[in-house]
Amino acid sequence: MHVSYFTRSFHIKGNNLIQLTRASFSQNPQSWDTSSKIFSCTTYHCTHSPVSGSVWQPLTHRTHQPAASSRCMSSTVRRRRPPSAFPVIDGEFHPVHRHVYEANLRNSLICQQKYLENKEKVMKGGGENAIARHTLRNRKVLVRDRLRMLLDDEDYLELSSFAGLGLPYGDIPSAGCLTGIGKINGLWCMFIANDATVKGGTAYPITVKKQLRAQVVAMQNRLPSVYLVDSGGAFLPLQSEIFPDSNHGGRTFFNEAVMSAMKIPQVAVVCGSCTAGGAYVPTMSEEAVIVHRIGTIFLGGPPLVKAATGEEVSPEDLGGARLHSEVSGCVDHFAAAENEAYEFTRNIISTLNYELPEEDSAQVEEPLYNVDDLMGLAPRCYNHSMDVRLVVSRLTDGSRFQEFKARYGTPLLTGFARIEGHQVGIVANNGELTYEASLKGSHFVQLCDQRDIPLIFLQNTAPEPAHTFSQTKAESNTNRLKAQGSMMSAVACASVPKITVVIGGCHGGDSYAMCGRAFDPNFLFLWPNARVSILAPGHSDAFVQTEEEITQINEMLEEESSAFFSTARLWDDGVILPQDTRKVLSKCLKIIKQQEYQLSREKMRTPFLRL
Ligand code: COA
């Protein structure tokens, strides 16, 4: 818990001095946490002593802690926003745009094809043989079917589904572990579910990275988390890239403890092996469920016992469901079958202390323009970018947008809008991030921070940095540098939620100011046409000497800047189709908002300890 500020005031009443203290707290500086004010009132009484003169002694001290949900809609008081009728933006295409639109559309269709192929690939998990081993021999349910049993519906937000594809050490579908956010009994929860059809659910470096990212998302957005554990532990041939470093396997357990101390509930379902490090996942969770004949927890399995002691022991006797629920107490619920385990988990989630608002039945205005047009607006390269207002007009409620500083720093578009009823501030590139554009960006970001309005960044940054070929250019670049530095500071320090969608280029310093990955947005998604690299392909001429070097660097940039290359390495939270952007943004905004409804989050605690 971080104290933002204290204010004190004093009032004299008769012989008493009353001190009022107000404190503004935020749970996590990175998260958009409703600031709750603790208001304490101390009354001092004045006595006079001949030795020490006036002495003020405390008479009473009261601390009032308003309920965490004080800003939520209560059942009796319905709140309403002041009416707003932001102007509708012109989202019409002009005939002159047609050839650009068509070129973009052709490129987007190719990218969409790649997206669909990848999707098909990850749906197959570890392949036919592994699926047969998992279901027929091991009698376990496939991971996506497990999610069907656990979650309310299939309307969940899967994160980084293409992570792990095409890595130097092979194709690891879904990085061997599905992560995402779905509803359990109406509550958005993070799920982290091993896919044991991918090499026995063992952890590759990319698996560890994906699990850690899921925990960070859970922390930033205060999401209850459910682990479906079915893993053979570390993938041994790559142990040096999984075990020793700070952001390697051990971090998962460190995060579990920190999340617990932050009062983020965690539940584990042991629905397969929990071997070696994996054994700590259930034992560090607040509650754990184990499935009979399927779930096992041990640091070293039967082969290790045999090698060490010569004793032959079955997995069930060494660390099965009966042992851990009846003898060791490592788990809390014994489930006879998988479906029972997910039923237990759903019930556990319903014991968490949340007070969710009534479903809002207010009609949401759809954009006036077709979201499918976004395929033709997704730039195939920087000079095929059209006015970003055309994109905004297909994302916001009623295509409405209250522009801020419309005539100043025009290469950056800033303004307010609603997305499925959620008020947001939009910051969108509409050209290079100039001096004026950066100043405008800083101003607008601070404005949203002041008003607690989440920020949406639509990123399409310039393909290369501005060159310094003359004195005048050098001066203008220096000024621009300072203004961009200010914008970066404003973005980094804004404590509102931030969501970044890379709709075109993500290059160089401009991408930092536009809340790139290093600036910790709550979520970052890429459109399939997006390019992520320090320079865009074809723009390296000024930086290397020979033709051969230029060709080499450009080929490398071409390959490495693709959205699929990026997402395979988990530099984002996934690739989304342009036409799905509004739905995804709306879901993220709902997910982020849920933290306001947790009633039991105020007290700072030590992590939960299983004794
Ligand atoms: N590292 C690397 N590969 C591993 C592995 C590990 N820790 N554990 C399993 N695998 C591989 C197997 O070699 C096999 O590969 P293949 O499909 O290319 O043949 C695949 O994962 C599936 O393993 P398999 O044993 O055939 O499947 P299973 O369903 O019968 O058992 C486990 C799965 C995880 C229970 C079992 O493999 C196991 O106990 N592994 C060892 C776990 C361990 O001791 N881990 C310690 C890590 S520190």
Side-chain angles (χ1 to χ4, degrees), residues 126 129-130 133-134 137-138 140 196-204 230-239 272-278 296 298-304:
N129 292 342
R133 186 180 59 217
H134 186 85
R137 198 191 72 190
N138 295 347
K140 292 191 285 191
T197 68
V198 182
K199 284 277 181 202
T202 50
Y204 286 79
D230 187 357
S231 164
F235 181 75
L236 288 171
L238 294 177
Q239 67 80 29
S273 285
C274 277
T275 311
T296 50
F298 29 66
L299 291 171
L304 211 72

Side-chain angles (χ1 to χ4, degrees), residues 26-318:
S26 88
Q27 207 75 19
N28 172 354
Q30 299 299 321
S31 83
W32 180 55
D33 207 347
T34 327
S35 59
S36 68
K37 292 198 167 57
I38 291 185
F39 172 68
S40 78
C41 170
T42 313
T43 307
Y44 298 88
H45 183 70
C46 185
T47 49
H48 298 276
S49 121
V51 185
S52 42
S54 300
V55 178
W56 293 95
Q57 283 178 325
L59 259 186
T60 57
H61 179 83
R62 280 180 291 133
T63 304
H64 306 277
Q65 199 162 341
S69 60
S70 57
R71 281 177 51 174
C72 315
M73 199 179 289
S74 88
S75 53
T76 47
V77 184
R78 278 192 69 81
R79 297 193 179 182
R80 67 180 175 83
R81 287 188 174 278
S84 69
F86 299 154
V88 171
I89 8 173
D90 179 12
E92 293 294 345
F93 293 113
H94 297 290
V96 68
H97 293 146
R98 179 113 326 254
H99 74 284
V100 178
Y101 179 89
E102 280 167 2
N104 285 342
L105 184 60
R106 280 194 297 277
N107 180 59
S108 286
L109 289 171
I110 296 169
C111 295
Q112 180 171 275
Q113 186 55 33
K114 172 90 176 148
Y115 173 95
L116 296 173
E117 282 167 16
N118 276 3
K119 200 161 181 179
E120 203 181 318
K121 208 184 252 183
V122 297
M123 286 309 218
K124 291 183 184 153
E128 274 174 28
N129 292 342
I131 291 177
R133 186 180 59 217
H134 186 85
T135 51
L136 302 177
R137 198 191 72 190
N138 295 347
R139 300 194 177 283
K140 292 191 285 191
V141 176
L142 292 172
V143 65
R144 287 185 189 275
D145 293 328
R146 286 175 170 167
L147 292 177
R148 272 184 205 107
M149 289 191 234
L150 176 70
L151 304 174
D152 292 354
D153 50 43
E154 289 186 44
D155 189 23
Y156 56 81
L157 180 69
E158 190 171 335
L159 298 177
S160 301
S161 31
F162 304 153
L165 293 182
L167 294 184
Y169 48 81
D171 258 348
I172 319 298
S174 302
C177 169
L178 270 63
T179 62
I181 303 160
K183 274 189 178 174
I184 302 179
N185 288 329
L187 204 63
W188 291 107
C189 297
M190 172 64 71
F191 60 78
I192 301 176
N194 298 120
D195 182 353
T197 68
V198 182
K199 284 277 181 202
T202 50
Y204 286 79
I206 196 71
T207 320
V208 173
K209 195 170 178 191
K210 192 168 176 183
Q211 288 172 343
L212 295 182
R213 172 65 192 158
Q215 287 181 318
V216 168
V217 172
M219 282 192 255
Q220 260 186 326
N221 302 294
R222 298 193 56 84
L223 292 168
S225 302
V226 177
Y227 302 87
L228 303 188
V229 204
D230 187 357
S231 164
F235 181 75
L236 288 171
L238 294 177
Q239 67 80 29
S240 66
E241 293 170 55
I242 302 163
F243 173 67
D245 210 349
S246 62
N247 266 336
H248 283 176
R251 191 76 180 186
T252 321
F253 318 123
F254 175 85
N255 284 348
E256 268 194 81
V258 171
M259 286 163 75
S260 180
M262 287 171 72
K263 299 206 81 187
I264 296 174
Q266 296 162 92
V267 181
V269 183
V270 183
C271 46
S273 285
C274 277
T275 311
Y280 297 109
V281 176
T283 44
M284 292 182 74
S285 294
E286 286 186 4
E287 279 190 67
V289 183
I290 190 164
V291 187
H292 188 37
R293 296 205 178 87
I294 286 176
T296 50
I297 307 174
F298 29 66
L299 291 171
L304 211 72
V305 174
K306 181 147 194 244
T309 66
E311 195 184 344
E312 290 210 14
V313 58
S314 72
E316 195 60 24
D317 289 340
L318 187 65

